[in-house]
C-alpha cells in the first residue's frame, strides 16, 4: 500500500472526463463511440454511458465518456470509472446547441479551473421558449457571455452550418473541434483513424471533422469568441428598394394602394404584411388589411411612424391567426417534405415516413365550422359530448401516406370558407375593437395608444396557448375600456408585462391589485 507521502509526491492518474449534450438525430451516440474507439486504440481504458432526455428538445441526451491510461494502472486490473458526470468534475463538455451549453453551465459541469467547453452557437428553440406567453427566446448573447465566464476555454461557432456544408452531422464537427483544441493527448491521424474504424459515413464525417478542426484552431488563435450567437458577423443593414410591380393584377393594385394611401414611413412593414396575408388567405384579405390601416391613418396617427409601424406589424400577425386550417396547410406543403428529407439527409432510393400527432380541442373544431353550426356545436349537448370524447384521445396520422395527406389537404383547402367560420367572426370583432381603442387613445395620449397596440403580443399560437393569451388580452382590454380617459401608459405597460410573465395570470392579478385597476 502506498504511503501518505507518496500520494502527494506521485498522485494517482486521473481519468479524462468528457460530457456530451446532444439532441436526437445529431449523432451524439456516434460521437461517444468515436471517443471510446480513440481511447481504446491508443492505450486507454474507455467507458461510455448515456441518459436520454425527456424528448428531442425538452431535454438532450447526456453521453458521458471516461478515458483512463492503461500504463497508469498496475496489477492488470481495469479501473472503476464513473457512470455519470458530476458537477465540478468534468474536463471537456461538448454541446451540440447553444442552449445545451447553457444547461451544462447551469448544472455545474463547466468550471473555470479545468473545463474546456466546445459548443455550436446555432439555436433550436426549446418548448419553453416556443410556448411562452410573450417573446420567450433566451438571449444568445447572454448564453455566450455566461459560457465564456464559466469555462477555462470556450470554443463556439455555427456547427450546424458547417455540418450542412459537408453533408454530415454536428457530431463530426464537434469531434474535429475537439481535436483542434489539442485538449486530448491524441494526434489528428489518431482522431481520423477512429472515424474510419467505426465505418459510419466516413467521407462526409472526415470532411466535417476537417472543417471543425480548422475552425476551432482559427477560433483559438484569433480569440474570436466575441462573435455573435449565430457564429457569423452581423450583416450590414441594407436599404430596401421599392418592390417591382408583379405580373398579377391584384397584387399590382395592392402595391399601388400602398404607394398612394399608406404613409411611406411604414411601406416596408406593410409590404411584408400583405405578403404574409396573401400566403395565409388571398389578395382580398390583404386588401382588408390595407383598408384597416388606411382608416387608422385618417385619425390622429398619420405622421406617427412608431405607432403606425407597431400597429401594422401586430395587425398582420393577428390577421394571420393560427387555426386548424393553417396547421393543415403548413403540414401539406412541398417545402415541408423537402425540409424533412434534407434534415434527415435522405439519399436516393430511401423511403421516409412522416407521422404527426394531432390532438385538436373541441373548440378548435367548432372554430373552423360555419359560424351558425359552430356556435350550435359548441353548446353542451349530446353530440357535443360524443365528439369531445372522440377528440380527447388524439391520433397519430401518417401524413406522408395518401390517406393522411388527403385528409390534411382537404382541410387546408377549407380556407376558402374561412371568412364564414366562427373563428373568423370572433377575430373580426376583436381586431376591430382593438383598432378602435388605438384610434381613440391616439387622439388623447399617443403613448397609451402605442401600449394598446403592443398588447397584441399576448395573442399567439393555438390551442391552450392561444386561449390563455386571449384571456389575458381581454382582461387588459376591459381595463382600457373602463379607464380609457385616465389610464396611464406606464400602468398598462406594467399590466402587459405581468400578463406575459406567467401563463396562470397570477402576476397579472397581483399587478391589478397593486395598481387598483379592475
Amino acid at each position: 500500500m502506498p504511503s501518505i507521502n507518496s500520494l502527494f509526491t506521485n498522485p494517482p492518474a486521473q481519468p479524462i472526463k468528457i460530457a456530451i449534450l446532444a439532441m436526437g438525430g445529431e449523432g451524439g451516440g456516434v460521437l461517444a463511440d468515436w471517443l471510446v474507439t480513440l481511447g481504446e486504440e491508443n492505450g486507454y481504458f474507455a467507458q461510455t454511458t448515456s441518459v436520454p432526455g425527456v424528448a428531442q428538445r425538452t431535454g438532450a441526451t447526456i453521453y458521458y465518456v471516461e478515458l483512463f491510461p492503461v500504463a497508469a494502472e498496475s496489477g492488470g486490473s481495469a479501473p472503476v470509472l464513473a457512470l455519470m458526470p458530476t458537477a465540478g468534475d468534468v474536463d471537456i463538455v461538448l454541446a451540440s446547441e447553444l442552449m445545451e451549453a447553457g444547461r451544462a453551465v447551469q448544472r455545474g459541469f463547466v468550471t473555470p479551473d479545468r473545463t474546456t467547453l466546445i459548443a455550436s452557437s446555432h439555436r433550436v428553440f426549446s418548448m419553453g421558449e416556443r410556448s411562452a406567453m410573450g417573446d420567450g427566446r433566451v438571449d444568445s448573447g447572454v448564453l455566450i457571455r455566461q459560457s465564456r465566464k464559466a469555462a477555462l476555454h470556450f470554443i463556439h461557432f455555427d456547427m450546424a452550418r458547417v455540418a450542412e456544408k459537408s453533408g454530415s452531422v454536428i457530431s463530426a464537427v464537434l469531434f474535429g473541434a475537439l481535436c483542434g483544441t489539442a485538449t486530448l493527448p491524441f494526434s489528428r491521424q489518431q482522431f481520423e483513424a477512429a472515424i474510419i474504424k467505426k465505418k459510419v459515413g466516413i467521407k462526409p464525417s472526415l470532411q466535417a471533422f476537417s472543417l471543425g478542426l480548422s475552425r476551432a484552431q482559427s477560433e483559438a488563435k484569433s480569440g474570436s469568441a466575441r462573435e455573435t450567437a449565430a457564429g457569423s458577423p452581423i450583416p450590414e443593414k441594407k436599404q430596401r428598394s421599392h418592390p417591382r410591380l408583379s405580373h398579377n393584377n391584384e397584387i399590382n393594385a395592392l402595391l399601388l394602394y400602398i404607394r398612394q394611401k399608406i404613409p411611406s414611413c411604414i411601406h416596408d412593414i406593410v409590404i411584408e404584411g400583405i405578403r404574409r396575408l396573401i400566403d395565409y388567405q388571398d389578395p382580398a384579405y390583404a386588401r382588408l388589411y390595407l383598408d384597416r390601416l388606411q382608416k387608422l391613418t385618417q385619425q390622429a396617427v398619420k405622421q406617427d411612424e412608431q405607432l403606425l409601424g407597431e400597429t401594422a406589424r401586430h395587425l398582420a400577425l393577428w390577421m394571420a391567426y393560427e387555426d386548424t386550417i393553417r396547421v393543415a396547410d403548413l403540414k401539406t406543403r412541398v417545402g415541408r417534405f423537402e425540409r424533412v428529407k434534407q434534415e434527415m439527409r435522405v439519399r436516393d432510393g430511401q423511403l421516409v415516413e412522416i407521422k404527426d400527432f394531432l390532438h385538436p380541442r373541441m373548440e378548435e373544431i367548432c372554430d373552423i365550422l360555419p359560424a351558425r353550426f359552430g356556435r350550435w356545436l359548441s353548446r353542451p349537448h349530446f353530440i357535443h359530448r360524443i365528439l369531445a370524447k372522440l377528440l380527447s384521445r388524439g391520433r397519430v396520422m401518417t401524413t406522408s401516406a395518401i390517406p393522411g395527406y388527403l385528409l390534411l389537404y382537404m382541410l387546408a383547402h377549407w380556407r376558402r370558407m374561412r371568412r364564414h367560420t366562427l373563428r373568423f367572426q370572433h377575430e373580426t370583432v376583436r381586431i376591430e375593437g382593438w383598432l378602435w381603442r388605438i384610434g381613440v387613445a391616439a387622439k388623447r395620449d399617443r403613448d397609451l395608444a402605442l401600449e394598446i397596440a403592443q398588447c397584441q403580443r399576448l395573442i399567439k399560437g393555438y390551442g391552450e396557448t392561444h386561449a390563455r393569451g386571449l384571456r389575458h388580452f381581454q382582461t387588459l382590454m376591459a381595463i382600457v375600456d373602463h379607464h380609457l380617459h385616465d389610464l396611464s401608459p406606464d400602468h398598462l405597460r406594467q399590466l402587459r408585462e405581468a400578463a406575459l410573465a406567467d401563463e396562470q395570470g397570477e402576476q397579472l392579478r397581483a399587478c391589478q391589485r397593486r395598481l387598483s385597476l379592475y
Side-chain angles (χ1 to χ4, degrees):
M1 180 178 294
S3 66
I4 297 295
N5 289 334
S6 68
L7 289 176
F8 284 99
T9 57
N10 299 299
Q14 294 293 321
I16 301 172
K17 302 174 181 181
I18 308 170
I20 305 167
L21 285 76
M23 296 179 288
E26 294 181 333
V30 174
L31 176 55
D33 290 342
W34 282 339
L35 286 168
V36 169
T37 302
L38 177 65
E40 291 179 340
E41 292 295 313
N42 296 282
Y44 280 75
F45 289 105
Q47 176 179 280
T48 178
T49 57
S50 64
V51 178
V54 177
Q56 197 170 44
R57 191 57 192 99
T58 52
T61 297
I62 299 177
Y63 302 88
Y64 183 58
V65 179
E66 285 200 0
L67 305 176
F68 190 87
V70 173
E73 181 62 33
S74 59
S77 59
V80 177
L81 303 178
L83 300 177
M84 278 290 294
T86 305
D89 192 28
V90 180
D91 299 300
I92 300 168
V93 173
L94 305 173
S96 67
E97 189 261 357
L98 191 57
M99 177 66 85
E100 297 308 326
R103 293 182 195 272
V105 171
Q106 186 180 42
R107 298 183 67 167
F109 295 158
V110 182
T111 50
D113 61 329
R114 67 182 291 182
T115 308
T116 296
L117 174 60
I118 304 171
S120 177
S121 59
H122 79 288
R123 287 301 324 279
V124 178
F125 295 127
S126 66
M127 294 301 295
E129 290 175 293
R130 294 177 181 179
S131 61
M133 293 296 299
D135 185 353
R137 294 173 298 175
V138 175
D139 188 339
S140 296
V142 172
L143 289 174
I144 288 177
R145 288 193 295 272
Q146 293 300 320
S147 297
R148 184 185 297 120
K149 183 178 179 181
L152 177 63
H153 302 293
F154 179 41
I155 298 294
H156 72 284
F157 56 91
D158 191 342
M159 299 184 188
R161 186 178 300 174
V162 175
E164 183 178 356
K165 181 179 179 181
S166 60
S168 184
V169 291
I170 288 179
S171 59
V173 185
L174 280 167
F175 199 50
L178 176 60
C179 178
T181 62
T183 307
L184 293 179
F186 307 112
S187 67
R188 174 173 181 168
Q189 291 72 26
Q190 290 170 322
F191 271 85
E192 291 177 336
I195 294 176
I196 296 171
K197 184 175 179 61
K198 294 305 294 182
K199 300 178 181 180
V200 178
I202 296 175
K203 186 176 180 179
S205 295
L206 287 175
Q207 184 179 358
F209 170 87
S210 178
L211 292 172
L213 185 150
S214 300
R215 186 64 185 272
Q217 290 176 335
S218 174
E219 293 281 320
K221 289 178 181 178
S222 64
S224 58
R226 295 176 180 82
E227 276 190 339
T228 62
S232 59
I234 299 174
E236 293 182 3
K237 189 174 182 179
K238 296 181 180 180
Q239 187 68 29
R240 285 190 181 180
S241 59
H242 207 289
R244 295 180 178 179
L245 291 179
S246 165
H247 293 293
N248 186 299
N249 290 334
E250 290 182 290
I251 296 177
N252 282 339
L254 293 174
L255 293 176
L256 288 173
Y257 186 108
I258 292 172
R259 292 178 183 177
Q260 294 172 0
K261 298 188 178 183
I262 302 297
S264 60
C265 60
I266 60 167
H267 278 186
D268 287 348
I269 295 175
V270 173
I271 288 169
E272 289 301 321
I274 65 169
R275 285 175 179 164
R276 184 185 188 98
L277 295 173
I278 290 172
D279 176 72
Y280 178 80
Q281 187 66 34
D282 53 36
Y285 196 52
R287 177 59 181 264
L288 174 61
Y289 167 71
L290 295 179
D291 289 341
R292 285 170 167 168
L293 278 180
Q294 199 269 335
K295 182 180 178 181
L296 189 64
T297 61
Q298 290 176 344
Q299 301 177 22
V301 297
K302 187 171 184 179
Q303 302 303 323
D304 193 323
E305 180 178 350
Q306 185 181 12
L307 178 55
L308 276 178
E310 285 297 293
T311 304
R313 182 168 67 91
H314 288 295
L315 178 59
L317 291 172
W318 195 342
M319 290 181 66
Y321 59 84
E322 296 203 21
D323 56 8
T324 307
I325 299 172
R326 180 64 168 173
V327 172
D329 179 27
L330 295 176
K331 287 184 179 294
T332 54
R333 295 193 176 189
V334 175
R336 184 202 183 210
F337 293 96
E338 292 177 348
R339 186 179 68 254
V340 170
K341 290 181 180 179
Q342 184 180 7
E343 291 175 353
M344 297 296 295
R345 292 174 174 81
V346 177
R347 299 176 181 176
D348 293 339
Q350 289 184 312
L351 298 178
V352 177
E353 189 175 73
I354 301 175
K355 294 182 180 289
D356 286 290
F357 178 70
L358 303 178
H359 192 186
R361 301 185 308 152
M362 186 65 183
E363 294 84 348
E364 292 162 355
I365 298 299
C366 295
D367 279 345
I368 64 171
L369 294 174
R372 188 172 182 180
F373 184 44
R375 198 173 289 109
W376 170 80
L377 187 59
S378 63
R379 301 187 188 115
H381 47 64
F382 178 73
I383 296 179
H384 174 96
R385 289 193 294 272
I386 293 297
L387 186 57
K389 186 175 181 180
L390 292 174
L391 292 173
S392 65
R393 303 172 185 174
R395 59 176 300 184
V396 176
M397 181 179 297
T398 305
T399 51
S400 56
I402 292 177
Y405 179 84
L406 284 179
L407 180 59
L408 290 182
Y409 180 83
M410 290 187 291
L411 181 57
H413 276 65
W414 182 248
R415 74 176 186 173
R416 298 176 181 178
M417 299 297 294
R418 183 182 267 134
R419 290 181 176 85
H420 305 286
T421 62
L422 181 63
R423 175 74 180 273
F424 187 88
Q425 287 194 2
H426 287 163
E427 296 299 346
T428 298
V429 172
R430 293 165 187 155
I431 290 172
E432 294 293 345
W434 173 69
L435 290 172
W436 175 83
R437 294 180 183 97
I438 293 173
V440 172
K443 296 176 182 179
R444 183 187 67 85
D445 188 337
R446 172 260 184 196
D447 291 335
L448 178 61
L450 182 60
E451 295 301 328
I452 295 173
Q454 293 178 344
C455 284
Q456 192 276 334
R457 292 173 54 197
L458 291 163
I459 301 176
K460 60 178 289 187
Y462 58 93
E464 288 291 344
T465 300
H466 175 266
R468 286 190 294 265
L470 179 59
R471 284 196 298 270
H472 296 344
F473 174 82
Q474 290 174 329
T475 298
L476 295 193
M477 292 303 100
I479 293 173
V480 169
D481 291 341
H482 194 260
H483 302 277
L484 187 58
H485 299 290
D486 59 2
L487 182 62
S488 162
D490 182 62
H491 286 174
L492 183 56
R493 184 186 305 113
Q494 292 181 43
L495 290 167
R496 188 185 68 248
E497 295 302 325
L500 290 168
D502 74 305
E503 297 178 350
Q504 290 72 29
E506 294 178 2
Q507 294 195 37
L508 174 58
R509 289 188 288 272
C511 188
Q512 284 182 265
R513 289 193 296 269
R514 178 167 54 82
L515 299 175
S516 300
L517 290 172
Y518 297 95

